[in-house]
Amino acid sequence: MLINSAVYDDGRMVAEPGLDGVSEALEARQTGFVWIALRDPTDDELHLLQHELNLPALAVEDARKGHQRPKVEEYGDMLFAAMHLLEGGPDGELQVGEVHVFVGARFIVSVRHRSDQGFLGVRGRAEREPDLLRQGPGFVFYALMDAVVDRYFPLMDAIEAELEQLEETMFRPHQDRQAVVQRLFGLKQRLATLRHAVTPLLEVSAKLHGGRVPVVCKALQDYFRDVYDHLLRIQASIDAARETIIAATQVNLTLVTIDESLVTKRLAAWAAIFAASTALAGIWGMNFEKMPELKWEFGYPMALGAIVLVSSALYWRFKHLKWL
Amino acid sequence: MLINSAVYDDGRMVAEPGLDGVSEALEARQTGFVWIALRDPTDDELHLLQHELNLPALAVEDARKGHQRPKVEEYGDMLFAAMHLLEGGPDGELQVGEVHVFVGARFIVSVRHRSDQGFLGVRGRAEREPDLLRQGPGFVFYALMDAVVDRYFPLMDAIEAELEQLEETMFRPHQDRQAVVQRLFGLKQRLATLRHAVTPLLEVSAKLHGGRVPVVCKALQDYFRDVYDHLLRIQASIDAARETIIAATQVNLTLVTIDESLVTKRLAAWAAIFAASTALAGIWGMNFEKMPELKWEFGYPMALGAIVLVSSALYWRFKHLKWL
Amino acid sequence: MLINSAVYDDGRMVAEPGLDGVSEALEARQTGFVWIALRDPTDDELHLLQHELNLPALAVEDARKGHQRPKVEEYGDMLFAAMHLLEGGPDGELQVGEVHVFVGARFIVSVRHRSDQGFLGVRGRAEREPDLLRQGPGFVFYALMDAVVDRYFPLMDAIEAELEQLEETMFRPHQDRQAVVQRLFGLKQRLATLRHAVTPLLEVSAKLHGGRVPVVCKALQDYFRDVYDHLLRIQASIDAARETIIAATQVNLTLVTIDESLVTKRLAAWAAIFAASTALAGIWGMNFEKMPELKWEFGYPMALGAIVLVSSALYWRFKHLKWL
Amino acid sequence: MLINSAVYDDGRMVAEPGLDGVSEALEARQTGFVWIALRDPTDDELHLLQHELNLPALAVEDARKGHQRPKVEEYGDMLFAAMHLLEGGPDGELQVGEVHVFVGARFIVSVRHRSDQGFLGVRGRAEREPDLLRQGPGFVFYALMDAVVDRYFPLMDAIEAELEQLEETMFRPHQDRQAVVQRLFGLKQRLATLRHAVTPLLEVSAKLHGGRVPVVCKALQDYFRDVYDHLLRIQASIDAARETIIAATQVNLTLVTIDESLVTKRLAAWAAIFAASTALAGIWGMNFEKMPELKWEFGYPMALGAIVLVSSALYWRFKHLKWL
Amino acid sequence: MLINSAVYDDGRMVAEPGLDGVSEALEARQTGFVWIALRDPTDDELHLLQHELNLPALAVEDARKGHQRPKVEEYGDMLFAAMHLLEGGPDGELQVGEVHVFVGARFIVSVRHRSDQGFLGVRGRAEREPDLLRQGPGFVFYALMDAVVDRYFPLMDAIEAELEQLEETMFRPHQDRQAVVQRLFGLKQRLATLRHAVTPLLEVSAKLHGGRVPVVCKALQDYFRDVYDHLLRIQASIDAARETIIAATQVNLTLVTIDESLVTKRLAAWAAIFAASTALAGIWGMNFEKMPELKWEFGYPMALGAIVLVSSALYWRFKHLKWL
């Protein structure tokens, strides 16, 4: 589906050609570039675009099939980039969409898959600041990348907040340990999703601001270094969170074992108390003919007293040992 | 066993020489190349081929013995490649076959071992598109490699699907924990098999599209980068699945310990209930002469009532504590 | 908030311009530099400064937003550095503040965030030693960095001391294992905070004394190598402490399991002692008509003796086995 | 002890000088080289050889002391190599011997320590193929290295076979878990021994076929690449086996815990069954005067029936829950 | 404290100046060098030396403060090295001392801290072999380094011996598991201390024999490669021991759990035996009027027989199951 198609020259929009008028619109003027946004495009739309802008077949094939890992590939002077769009689902799980970007000397095409996150904000900001737009497709590419990366931060923040809450409650008594381990596992999975969006992008974005930089990004190295720095920051947070989760999972196992130990202690304590009572009662239930205390006036209360006494003594003993 | 032997020139098949006519067939024309496919070849067939095409002895020895790790070796202008062919067995285990490929300026030889997966599809596609075939043995090499790698995807998908199912059921109550740990272990083994096919190939395929590229692959760098990208994608999936398995195994241990803890609690609870009843019955079973309640009209029902009362009280107490 | 703003020439302070007089003050003389210190600055202050000193927009944006990872970035001849300021909170947790430093040929600006740790000591020392100050903004940058890094040492020492104490007490009997695991986890978190301050700084400071060194640090390579060496030392301590914590956590799990094992043994032992008594009492409580010992003169004491004997025998047996 | 000392020229043996005639024998002809094999040599033998062939003192010192890690060192044009000779002992443990090799332009010396594995096969093969021998000491060095590395394969195969057997039996019921963990630990130790033979050799052999290759190995790069490839294959097997062992050890811990859980369940079940019987018997053993059922004609059989009934009901209940 | 101060020329000692006569003594002759040994020096001694030999301030500061990590730093033509001196304390813990070495074209200064290990042996050996001493301060530096590193071997051997003993006893029955885990933890700590002495030294010593070698070590590359090789060997042993400790710790946890499992089984078995006896006795203790066996002549012995029979049957059953 075509979302938008606009030709910009000298920072202002000058035409809105359809997909099939793109090459004409570009040839009509010496300068300027076209900015096209597609969403879940049909094969026809992609083929038309490939023809109009002379896009490389392998890259178009990637964009058609989707499910790419984040990457930036050079095809001659053109760049093809794939990035993950992440959205927090209702159950906390992260939904993975994608955006593919073709960047040429006179065009930029973004193809969005399986995601509701649009880039209207990016277009709006770009149109409000003609100075920036004047820098061409490379700047738009940066702006898109920046927007994608900025959306990772709140997801990371949510993970960190949940993790911090878990850390705090974990050591409190009477926790549902299974729920803790389940939430930790869920966090780990979300973190993995985030990492698979961030880490490959980090690697490729490193090549956009240092060493041999692709020609369309040449003048914008400081901007791409800024994106790189943001990714590095998320990466550091991911690593930290991951370590915390690993440690917390292990700690949780220890806590589970400690819990079990406590239960075993209580079991042992109560078993001992009842067993002592039963043994005493059993003794006075024996049928020997000569058991003088059986004939005492206060034999029975005395026996009951003895049983209570022993039970209480054991109870206090175990209380003192913290077994109860 | 010889599967196929055909000479292609200008994109069309022009001859089908036997193994012993290969060098003649090539000398008979200035251009074109021969494409030979063998399966579990005899030593004689390999020696004949070595002689006809002047293949390097060490590489032929590798192809004869099999059980190579994935690799691409240069012998002068010739390439020798080994790749793993994986097939899902009936019990989910992966069967490992191999294909060895010799690529020269005017020939390509594929030698398949211990695998039913043929490359007829590759040949068919190549013959239908003479344009591509015109690019020579390098293109056929790419097509074979692409076919091998594409067959890894469904295997990876199957692993991911089973893993996802395990993740979902793992936290449900009353799971057979041993079955879970056994399936996780099985998945880990399959993943290891896949990894040993993918990782070395990833390393060597990196050298086919960047830096000093072997001469037969020179014109096809974008294609090999595409294969490399596919391998990178599987590699990322493998890494993710591996982490998940490790985490799930650890989580499972915690769940087992929690399960045990629950059983211990139930044991403790029921032991307490019965022990209390027994202790009470023991008390009224004592033989003291003066135990007034023994003579009461409703002493017995009262005793039974007391026992039921205490047992019920304990039962509800434990129910409340979630021990039962 | 402006803390300080002073122009130094030839090692001595020559002027104290406000933020809006900085560029004028610099232009008024051929040599010398200005040293400005800000704390939790307003946006206005930062914009004014950006204008006066022609600071790069992206770096100022970073300084405004804060929450940067430690880094050193070059913008042309200028350096922008971010470092973490760590303070031990009352509960042992580390509070993370930041200082951002802009270093140019003729200025150095430090911007402190969320931290009470000032750099008056640095300024005092610098003013007392005009020789050093004469070396310009690069030296001040070194002095700030050195001060930041030196403050990491006592934090690391505190962690090591607590860890050592834990190691010693861990193997003593009757430890509160949950407290141990909780303290270990807390130490791990503090260590992670420290590591996230140190590791990135280590990476960047490596670039300040070897290879292509930024121009403002050129003459001071030995000094920056010294800072680097300090960071390396903390890093080594961090790694060692981290390994110890991991090992101690695992050891603690084993100790918990051993503890549980001991409790189970005691439970088993006491259960056996009481069960034997109860079984004996039960036997003599049977109602058979012909049980000669029931009629013996000393049958009852004998029975009690038997019970005591069996219990004692079991008690000594278990004592010997170390179950009790 | 001198095993062998022979001068080869043009692929044929031409003399068998003693240790003290080596230099003379070499000077007597323009071409050819001497091949000396020693086993557990005395200091005198080594010093004599050092003098005759002008071997570097540090290398001779290494050969004298033994217990070297695998390595290849260059001393000018000479190479000194140390490799581990592994032999499976009766109890499965690997015995570590060593062979040290000095390779010069006109000599090759092998010094074997603490191992019964000779290199007669290598010498035999070399003498049968004069073509190869004509290539000089470099070829002999390759042949020795190849022989050493080839002997690692059956050791690795044995480890893999035992591991596979463990994997299969591990999940079967009623395993002796301690035996499993002990065998896994033993495999891990053997694997470590193998790895310490292979990994350093892999590193150094990489330098014998690529980059700046020592002069005596120059013409034989394809051969050394083959050895390297073999080592890479073992290395991959080692890594795979190691991962499997780690996973299996962890799985075994989980299985142990599951086993324990099962035992606890059985304990709980039987305890409940007996406790219920005892409680019922205790109730009918109370001494209340009015317990009508005690006087019934079939009171006793009824009571027994009730006890059997309750026990059976519990038994079937637990059977159903898989606790028994 | 000054231990020694001697000027050597042409391999022989020619003067023994005090600290304040060093520069004079050097200027008095064209060649030769001074070798100074200090132990726990005062600040005055260090300052005097710094002045006499023109030592760099930062390096002297390091030597004064101590607690450096192992390193080799270049200051122009001078080298500053720090190495750890390890001594086994009475309780097995390793005491960490330090030696700092300043190496210049005409001097070598060793400064020892917190250690009783002197270098008299090194001096003695050097003086006995004037040939070596003639090579200047670089050779003395090598000799000191060699002596330091050689002292690591017996420490490593002690760790390995203790570890081997633990491995052997670990699987034997009735081990004190807590003692095992405590000793493993102690070994791990000692190993960490050793590693922190070895690993950084390994890194820096690599730079003393390959690539751009400092000028004072130039002629001695083979010697420094030898030291490097020794360090590599210890490093390999450390890695191996570390892996073994990790594996053994994990194995120990499994063994603890198995132990616990065995105890639970014994508990279960004995509980069942006594519970069965008690249940039987309880049945014959019921007060039904019509219990014919109570009146039998041999009812009581029969009952006792039944109880013994059931108990024995259970006992043998459990014996057979290996629960007892």
Side-chain angles (χ1 to χ4, degrees), chain D residues 73-75, chain E residues 209 221-230:
Chain D
E73 288 176 342
E74 288 183 74
Y75 289 90
Chain E
H209 75 269
Q221 296 197 31
D222 279 358
Y223 289 97
F224 283 106
R225 183 173 66 178
D226 200 52
V227 172
Y228 176 74
D229 186 53
H230 290 183

Side-chain angles (χ1 to χ4, degrees), chain D residues 143-219:
Chain D
L144 288 172
M145 203 165 172
D146 195 43
V148 168
V149 171
D150 271 356
R151 285 168 186 167
Y152 295 157
F153 281 98
L155 300 172
M156 187 68 226
D157 291 346
I159 290 172
E160 280 178 336
E162 188 168 346
L163 191 52
E164 219 158 283
Q165 195 224 319
L166 266 178
E167 280 179 57
E168 260 173 54
T169 58
M170 194 167 60
F171 289 105
R172 293 203 200 131
H174 308 307
Q175 291 300 307
D176 180 346
R177 298 273 167 236
Q178 169 144 1
V180 171
V181 83
Q182 191 162 359
R183 284 175 68 193
L184 283 171
F185 187 74
L187 282 176
K188 190 158 194 175
Q189 295 302 86
R190 274 158 72 187
L191 209 59
T193 305
L194 191 52
R195 189 150 54 99
H196 292 117
V198 169
T199 309
L201 203 55
L202 185 68
E203 284 167 28
V204 294
S205 70
K207 293 184 198 148
L208 299 180
H209 75 269
R212 198 189 61 72
V213 173
V215 87
V216 289
C217 306
K218 207 89 190 183

Side-chain angles (χ1 to χ4, degrees), chain B residues 58 62 67-69 71 73-75 177-178 181-182 185 188-189 195-196 242 253 256-257 260 263-264 267 274 278 281 284-287 293-295 297 299-300 303-304 307, chain D residues 167 171 222-223 225-226 229 232-233 240 243-244 247-248 251 253-255 257-258 260-261 264-265 268 272 275-276 278-279 282-291 293 323:
Chain B
L58 285 168
D62 280 353
H67 298 285
Q68 301 298 310
R69 45 187 293 285
K71 61 177 175 182
E73 289 177 343
E74 288 183 72
Y75 289 90
R177 298 272 167 236
Q178 170 144 1
V181 84
Q182 191 162 359
F185 187 74
K188 190 158 193 174
Q189 295 303 87
R195 189 150 54 99
H196 292 117
R242 206 165 143 247
L253 175 56
V256 164
T257 311
E260 199 190 351
V263 166
T264 306
L267 164 58
F274 281 120
T278 303
W284 283 308
M286 294 192 297
N287 294 325
E293 66 267 43
L294 296 185
K295 276 149 195 148
E297 181 70 26
Y300 181 43
L304 289 183
I307 288 172
Chain D
E167 280 179 57
F171 289 105
D222 278 359
Y223 289 97
R225 184 173 65 179
D226 199 52
D229 186 53
L232 219 48
R233 230 154 76 203
E243 283 230 349
T244 301
V251 160
L253 174 56
T254 306
L255 292 177
T257 312
I258 290 174
E260 200 190 350
S261 204
T264 307
K265 278 178 180 167
T278 302
I283 283 168
W284 284 309
M286 294 193 295
N287 294 324
F288 287 95
E289 288 195 347
K290 291 232 171 151
M291 293 176 66
E293 66 267 42
W323 286 36

Side-chain angles (χ1 to χ4, degrees), chain D residues 238-278:
Chain D
I238 289 172
D239 288 348
R242 210 167 139 244
E243 283 230 349
T244 301
I245 289 173
I246 290 173
T249 302
Q250 194 159 13
V251 160
N252 201 45
L253 174 56
T254 306
L255 292 177
V256 163
T257 312
I258 290 174
D259 275 6
E260 200 190 350
S261 204
L262 293 180
V263 167
T264 307
K265 278 178 180 167
R266 292 183 76 169
L267 164 58
W270 283 114
I273 289 172
F274 282 120
S277 303
T278 302

Side-chain angles (χ1 to χ4, degrees), chain A residues 12 14 24 62 66 85 113 116 132 136 139 198 208 234 248 324:
Chain A
R12 285 164 309 109
V14 293
E24 252 172 82
D62 280 353
L85 298 171
H113 287 277
D116 293 328
L132 297 175
F139 174 77
V198 169
L208 299 179
I234 300 179
L324 280 175

Side-chain angles (χ1 to χ4, degrees), chain B:
Chain B
M1 189 169 65
L2 180 68
I3 302 283
N4 224 321
S5 165
V7 176
Y8 295 87
D9 199 355
D10 199 30
R12 285 165 307 109
M13 196 209 292
V14 292
E16 286 194 297
L19 272 189
D20 48 4
V22 167
S23 58
E24 255 173 80
L26 285 178
E27 277 158 29
R29 54 189 69 237
Q30 300 291 331
T31 57
F33 67 96
V34 65
W35 180 357
I36 297 167
L38 292 169
R39 178 180 172 183
D40 298 312
T42 62
D43 288 6
D44 288 347
E45 289 172 326
L46 280 175
H47 277 111
L48 183 54
L49 205 65
Q50 176 178 4
H51 182 101
E52 289 282 319
L53 294 173
N54 199 17
L55 303 177
L58 285 168
V60 172
E61 184 63 15
D62 280 353
R64 196 182 62 74
K65 283 198 298 187
H67 298 285
Q68 301 298 310
R69 45 187 293 285
K71 61 177 175 182
V72 175
E73 289 177 343
E74 288 183 72
Y75 289 90
D77 283 355
M78 213 208 71
L79 280 189
F80 173 67
M83 295 181 279
H84 284 186
L85 299 171
L86 303 180
E87 279 165 283
D91 56 345
E93 238 180 277
L94 293 178
Q95 307 299 321
V96 183
E98 272 169 88
V99 60
H100 302 127
V101 186
F102 299 86
V103 196
R106 295 195 62 195
F107 62 84
I108 180 152
V109 180
S110 73
V111 182
R112 182 151 49 98
H113 288 278
R114 305 185 314 284
S115 171
D116 294 327
Q117 302 184 336
F119 295 100
L120 282 179
V122 176
R123 195 178 287 268
R125 178 185 150 201
E127 292 183 349
R128 276 195 305 278
E129 306 190 44
D131 271 7
L132 296 175
L133 209 46
R134 221 166 261 138
Q135 306 200 38
F139 175 78
V140 177
F141 178 39
Y142 152 72
L144 287 173
M145 201 164 173
D146 194 44
V148 167
V149 171
D150 271 356
R151 285 169 186 167
Y152 295 158
F153 280 97
L155 300 173
M156 187 67 226
D157 290 347
I159 290 173
E160 281 179 336
E162 188 168 344
L163 191 52
E164 218 157 285
Q165 195 223 320
L166 266 178
E167 280 179 58
E168 260 173 53
T169 59
M170 194 167 60
F171 289 105
R172 292 203 200 131
H174 309 307
Q175 291 300 307
D176 180 347
R177 298 272 167 236
Q178 170 144 1
V180 170
V181 84
Q182 191 162 359
R183 284 175 67 192
L184 283 171
F185 187 74
L187 282 175
K188 190 158 193 174
Q189 295 303 87
R190 274 158 70 186
L191 209 59
T193 306
L194 190 53
R195 189 150 54 99
H196 292 117
V198 169
T199 309
L201 203 55
L202 185 66
E203 284 167 29
V204 294
S205 70
K207 294 183 199 147
L208 299 179
H209 76 268
R212 200 190 60 74
V213 173
V215 86
V216 289
C217 307
K218 207 88 189 181
L220 296 148
Q221 296 197 30
D222 278 358
Y223 288 97
F224 284 106
R225 183 173 66 179
D226 199 52
V227 172
Y228 176 73
D229 185 53
H230 290 183
L231 285 165
L232 218 49
R233 231 155 75 202
I234 300 180
Q235 179 75 35
S237 299
I238 288 173
D239 287 349
R242 206 165 143 247
E243 283 230 348
T244 300
I245 288 173
I246 289 173
T249 302
Q250 193 159 13
V251 159
N252 202 45
L253 175 56
T254 306
L255 292 178
V256 164
T257 311
I258 290 174
D259 275 7
E260 199 190 351
S261 203
L262 294 180
V263 166
T264 306
K265 279 178 179 166
R266 291 182 77 168
L267 164 58
W270 283 114
I273 290 172
F274 281 120
S277 303
T278 303
L280 279 180
I283 283 168
W284 283 308
M286 294 192 297
N287 294 325
F288 288 95
E289 288 195 347
K290 291 233 172 152
M291 293 176 68
E293 66 267 43
L294 296 185
K295 276 149 195 148
W296 293 353
E297 181 70 26
F298 298 103
Y300 181 43
M302 180 216 65
L304 289 183
I307 288 172
V308 168
L309 202 78
V310 167
S311 301
S312 306
L314 285 172
Y315 183 84
W316 288 114
R317 173 90 182 121
F318 288 126
K319 203 78 185 175
H320 180 75
L321 282 172
K322 300 238 171 96
W323 286 36
L324 280 176

Side-chain angles (χ1 to χ4, degrees), chain A residues 18-24 47-55:
Chain A
L19 271 190
D20 47 5
V22 167
S23 59
E24 252 172 82
H47 277 110
L48 182 55
L49 204 65
Q50 177 178 2
H51 181 100
E52 289 283 317
L53 294 172
N54 199 18
L55 302 177

